[in-house]
Amino acid sequence: MSEPMPDEVPQTSFGFSSRAGTRPRRLLCVESSCDETAAAIVDEDLRVLSSVVASQTALHARFGGVVPEVASRAHVERILPVLDEALREAETRLEDLCAISVVTNPGLVGSLLVGLTAAKTLAMILQIPLIAVNHIEAHLYACRLHARRDVFPAVGLVVSGGHSNLYHCREAVDFELLGSTIDDAAGEAFDKVAAILGLGFPGGPAVQQAASTGNPRAYRFPRSFLKEDRLEFSFSGLKTAVLYEVAGKPPAPYDAAQIPRQRVADLAASFQEAVVDVLVAKCRQALEASGLKTLCVGGGVAANARFRERLDEMRAGGIDVIVPPLSLCTDNAAMSAVAWESFHRGRFAGWDLDVTAGLVRKPRAVKPR
Amino acid sequence: MTALELPSPTTGGGTAHPTGTVLLAIETSGMNGSVALCRDGHCLEQSQLELGRQHGQVLIPEIHALLKRHGLGARQCTHLAVSIGPGSFTGLRVGIVCAKTFAYATGCRLLAVGTLPAVAAGVADFYRMTTGRHEDIDSLVVVSDAQRGDLFIQRFVPTAGVENEPRSWQADGPITIQSAELLKSTLSTRTLVCGPGLVQHSATLQSVAPLADETTWHPQARHVAHLAALASERETPTADGEGGARHPSAPGVSQRAELTSERETPTADGEGGARHPSAPGVSQRAVLTSEFADPWKLEPLYLRRSSAEDKWDALGRK
């Protein structure tokens, strides 16, 4: 993240001197960590001049999840059109850029490599600095981008298909991981429950839609660690409880299409309520433990309407809750504007920058029994 | 557009052309990656990518260092050739994304070169310098590991050469996918076998057919450059894009750029627009002719779908 600049790049050409009196400098952000190919132009006043996202949802739908090789191939197809569209929308030429940022972790290795290679190639050709962006930090920076004011220090919750992580965010690029899921991420649970109920992929919008006519109290599903102090999540048991409710224990073969509509709605609503109860409770615990009054929420699950309702209730209770609009919650490149924070701190990457694949999880202490 | 000529990629000999062509070649299809830089028909240098590190990490610094050693900048490259496979999907993607982004940003011409023909060009190059060996050989088979126990296989036959001219190889049909055992049953002592697939399968194949010298097994960027130069040479600067029909590509060089409908009106010479894009992407799209790959469309020669897709179909789902 903070490697020194390669000496090949002339330091003088982009120093930290005051702005030249012309228009604000422009940053190209590239993001390809999972199944969205995205690029954005954000100027140093944090104005999003363009944000282009090419979704692969349709390619992965039949598999019920993201297939890494399929995702990598789609990124190769889309990377240039997406970059080009971002430049055009922002009426920006390559020569107008002062730096390029790229998400290097976490994510799928084959996907990350596409964005990384495109970004490095451009940085080499244009002789401008390269900045590595952490996808999770970017999700929380979406709150800063949306709020248009300082939001840190804050408690940060990133809740997506890969992560359910709580952070103490001291500043934009100084996060301490407080806790994470010990098994499935919340978004993953939505996908799996959608599959159990025959609702299709991606699960988040599908379950929300089904839940809209359901009774959230129809089934009493488990809420892991709700009464415990530890800032961890577990959604695997919840998903299994839904499966047992649908298919019996042990599960017998069933046809999801034969489940009565109202029962699907009630199951979806009850599941969704359990997830949201846990997310809200753990945010409250983290706020109390840290003494902070600001909560930043990012990631695809932050697009869930019921979760947003409950966050509104927290806001009414005196917490400064910042949730970006839907387009900044799901994966996008504009949130990589966090690279400006690195830029201003002189944290540039060398051209031998590599990706770090995988998911971010808090290492678990071994508990003596 | 001026043709590139690379008489001998290893020796770099031949007459210098006052053409101002600078060709960068990228080979990342396997473990042993390389980049090569050629100027006016001379191969200036081939540089190996550091073994044991990921291509995604080392490719860009290596290109930058190579250009710098020869006093060149990226924008001075007029042509970029890239090995498109078959090979490691991840490795190929790194080379190809670099190549297409490079072409997009600089407006240089992009040439897609088959990896197996590049190996064949390397074999020809090697035996050119060791005349007298394998006189009885009448065909070449290049193999590359296709995973799941299979090989990618392409057969080559000698080009109809003039006497005392060095022999080269031309593809004799498309790439097929077979197990090593099945390939073995089709080989004879008159077939020379080469390719990166020998790393895994030499033991199986050497009992029935002669293997090429081990130094020729892996594709090299300088041979990618050589084939690209041959293809570029055949290119005729027609504005209507019909050049490809009259002048078929060099063996192994993809003709993916048959995309007239996608293009905006081609310019008569192409050079000006290509080198100095007025807006990102516009002019690059306008200057493609049939011998050149379209950076917007270029992708690895996968030849296989993802295993997830195969499994899905095997289950009979839709």
Side-chain angles (χ1 to χ4, degrees):
Chain A
M1 279 295 287
S2 55
E3 294 170 59
M5 280 301 296
D7 53 276
E8 290 89 343
V9 177
Q11 296 275 353
T12 50
S13 69
F14 56 85
F16 317 110
S17 57
S18 59
R19 282 155 52 177
T22 54
R23 67 180 183 178
R25 291 178 291 190
R26 293 177 179 199
L27 167 77
L28 169 65
C29 307
V30 181
E31 146 78 53
S32 67
S33 61
C34 187
D35 62 339
E36 319 279 13
T37 319
I41 307 285
V42 184
D43 76 15
E44 68 182 314
D45 294 337
L46 297 184
R47 279 188 305 238
V48 179
L49 305 181
S50 65
S51 178
V52 177
V53 181
S55 173
Q56 301 177 9
T57 302
L59 295 179
H60 302 285
R62 63 176 170 150
F63 302 107
V66 176
V67 180
E69 177 61 22
V70 172
S72 302
R73 292 184 182 197
H75 284 303
V76 173
E77 282 173 24
R78 292 152 194 231
I79 187 74
L80 282 192
V82 166
L83 285 173
D84 189 65
E85 187 64 24
L87 289 161
R88 282 164 183 279
E89 266 186 30
E91 296 181 347
T92 300
R93 296 171 307 160
L94 287 171
E95 291 72 18
D96 298 332
L97 300 172
C98 74
I100 295 176
S101 81
V102 61
V103 170
T104 57
N105 79 104
L108 300 167
V109 62
S111 292
L112 288 164
L113 275 170
V114 173
L116 176 79
T117 303
K120 284 166 75 168
T121 304
L122 288 177
M124 173 187 68
I125 290 167
L126 300 171
Q127 294 282 303
I128 56 177
L130 181 69
I131 299 165
V133 166
N134 175 304
H135 180 74
I136 291 183
E137 291 181 358
H139 265 309
L140 291 175
Y141 203 73
C143 297
R144 164 71 184 85
L145 211 53
H146 168 61
R148 299 209 59 79
R149 60 180 163 87
D150 285 339
V151 294
F152 304 109
V155 166
L157 172 70
V158 175
V159 61
S160 66
H163 295 95
S164 302
N165 291 7
L166 273 165
Y167 292 88
H168 181 159
C169 312
R170 292 188 187 85
E171 53 174 320
V173 285
D174 180 8
F175 293 5
E176 180 196 347
L177 181 58
L178 299 174
S180 56
T181 179
I182 61 164
D183 42 54
D184 293 351
E188 193 177 356
F190 270 94
D191 286 340
K192 288 176 176 174
V193 166
I196 291 167
L197 299 178
L199 294 171
F201 176 85
V207 168
Q208 176 178 310
Q209 173 66 28
S212 64
T213 55
N215 174 6
R217 284 181 294 278
Y219 302 91
R220 185 65 197 167
F221 289 129
R223 284 143 171 87
S224 298
F225 314 146
L226 198 64
K227 305 274 189 249
E228 298 177 43
D229 287 341
R230 58 174 167 164
L231 296 172
E232 288 182 323
F233 300 97
S234 167
F235 295 107
S236 178
L238 169 58
K239 166 213 59 186
T240 304
V242 176
L243 177 65
Y244 288 164
E245 185 59 46
V246 169
K249 182 180 175 180
Y254 69 98
D255 180 358
Q258 298 302 312
I259 310 172
R261 281 178 70 96
Q262 190 55 49
R263 181 163 150 81
V264 169
D266 289 346
L267 286 162
S270 300
F271 159 77
Q272 178 178 268
E273 199 66 14
V275 174
V276 171
D277 275 352
V278 171
L279 293 175
V280 168
K282 291 295 164 187
C283 286
R284 285 189 189 282
Q285 283 181 9
L287 286 161
E288 278 164 26
S290 65
L292 294 165
K293 298 288 179 203
T294 305
L295 174 67
C296 292
V297 184
V301 179
N304 180 274
R306 180 58 185 145
F307 186 34
R308 294 173 87 94
E309 275 177 26
R310 297 284 299 277
L311 289 170
D312 283 341
E313 290 169 16
M314 281 179 84
R315 198 174 282 130
I319 300 295
D320 183 12
V321 182
I322 302 162
V323 195
L326 303 193
S327 63
L328 280 174
C329 286
T330 49
D331 286 354
N332 66 88
M335 65 191 189
S336 293
V338 69
W340 277 115
E341 302 283 342
S342 299
F343 186 94
H344 294 308
R345 287 165 176 79
R347 292 187 192 170
F348 301 117
W351 289 337
D352 62 346
L353 180 66
D354 203 357
V355 300
T356 312
L359 297 169
V360 176
R361 294 284 186 270
K362 193 167 174 72
R364 305 196 69 205
V366 180
K367 282 187 187 169
R369 281 183 175 267
Chain B
M1 147 73 215
T2 316
L4 272 175
E5 288 177 22
L6 296 176
S8 170
T10 45
T11 62
T15 316
H17 270 250
T19 53
T21 57
V22 175
L23 185 149
L24 178 69
I26 298 172
E27 161 51 58
T28 56
S29 69
M31 293 293 288
N32 307 307
S34 53
V35 290
L37 185 64
C38 309
R39 183 168 203 169
D40 297 341
H42 294 272
C43 185
L44 300 173
E45 185 185 348
Q46 172 173 292
S47 174
Q48 298 295 324
L49 299 186
E50 194 178 327
L51 272 177
R53 294 178 82 193
Q54 300 297 318
H55 293 336
Q57 191 178 4
V58 299
L59 177 64
I60 303 301
E62 198 65 50
I63 289 174
H64 180 69
L66 176 63
L67 289 168
K68 197 178 173 188
R69 280 199 295 276
H70 295 275
L72 291 166
R75 288 184 183 281
Q76 288 170 273
C77 293
T78 57
H79 295 73
L80 196 145
V82 62
S83 172
I84 60 163
S88 147
F89 292 163
T90 301
L92 289 168
R93 275 194 281 267
V94 168
I96 282 175
V97 170
C98 173
K100 64 201 285 181
T101 308
F102 198 108
Y104 168 76
T106 67
C108 77
R109 304 215 171 189
L110 186 59
L111 291 129
V113 175
T115 302
L116 305 187
V119 172
V123 172
D125 195 31
F126 180 82
Y127 288 103
R128 185 177 293 136
M129 293 183 293
T130 54
T131 49
R133 293 185 58 192
H134 295 305
E135 284 303 318
D136 52 338
I137 294 297
D138 63 11
S139 65
L140 169 70
V141 164
V142 179
V143 297
S144 177
D145 188 37
Q147 311 267 317
R148 305 179 227 168
D150 291 331
L151 285 166
F152 294 118
I153 298 157
Q154 193 164 26
R155 287 178 183 276
F156 295 82
V157 293
T159 49
V162 184
E163 204 174 341
N164 297 328
E165 280 270 309
R167 188 159 71 168
S168 62
W169 300 98
Q170 65 181 20
D172 182 33
I175 297 166
T176 57
I177 301 175
Q178 284 180 355
S179 69
E181 286 300 327
L182 201 57
L183 171 67
K184 191 177 167 182
S185 65
T186 69
L187 295 177
S188 78
T189 54
R190 293 169 67 82
T191 307
L192 186 64
V193 183
C194 190
L198 288 178
V199 172
Q200 297 88 356
H201 300 284
S202 61
T204 310
L205 300 175
Q206 68 186 359
S207 60
V208 291
L211 306 187
D213 190 273
E214 196 169 345
T215 59
T216 65
W217 289 5
H218 296 283
Q220 303 290 333
R222 64 179 188 271
H223 300 125
V224 172
H226 177 63
L227 290 184
L230 290 178
S232 183
E233 207 172 281
R234 286 171 168 80
E235 194 258 355
T236 312
T238 55
D240 60 11
E242 287 178 0
R246 293 197 298 271
H247 304 278
S249 293
V253 177
S254 158
Q255 296 194 44
R256 276 156 192 269
E258 295 156 1
L259 304 159
T260 43
S261 62
E262 291 275 321
R263 277 174 244 148
E264 290 158 41
T265 313
T267 54
D269 71 351
E271 288 294 345
R275 309 299 306 167
H276 304 286
S278 55
V282 177
S283 48
Q284 287 88 339
R285 294 179 104 171
V287 298
L288 294 165
T289 59
S290 58
E291 294 295 344
F292 295 102
D294 181 351
W296 292 72
K297 300 275 175 173
L298 186 66
E299 59 179 53
L301 188 57
Y302 293 112
L303 297 173
R304 285 194 135 170
R305 299 186 304 171
S306 67
S307 56
E309 289 166 291
D310 283 345
K311 281 176 192 160
W312 186 267
D313 283 1
L315 290 169
R317 301 186 202 169
K318 287 198 173 176

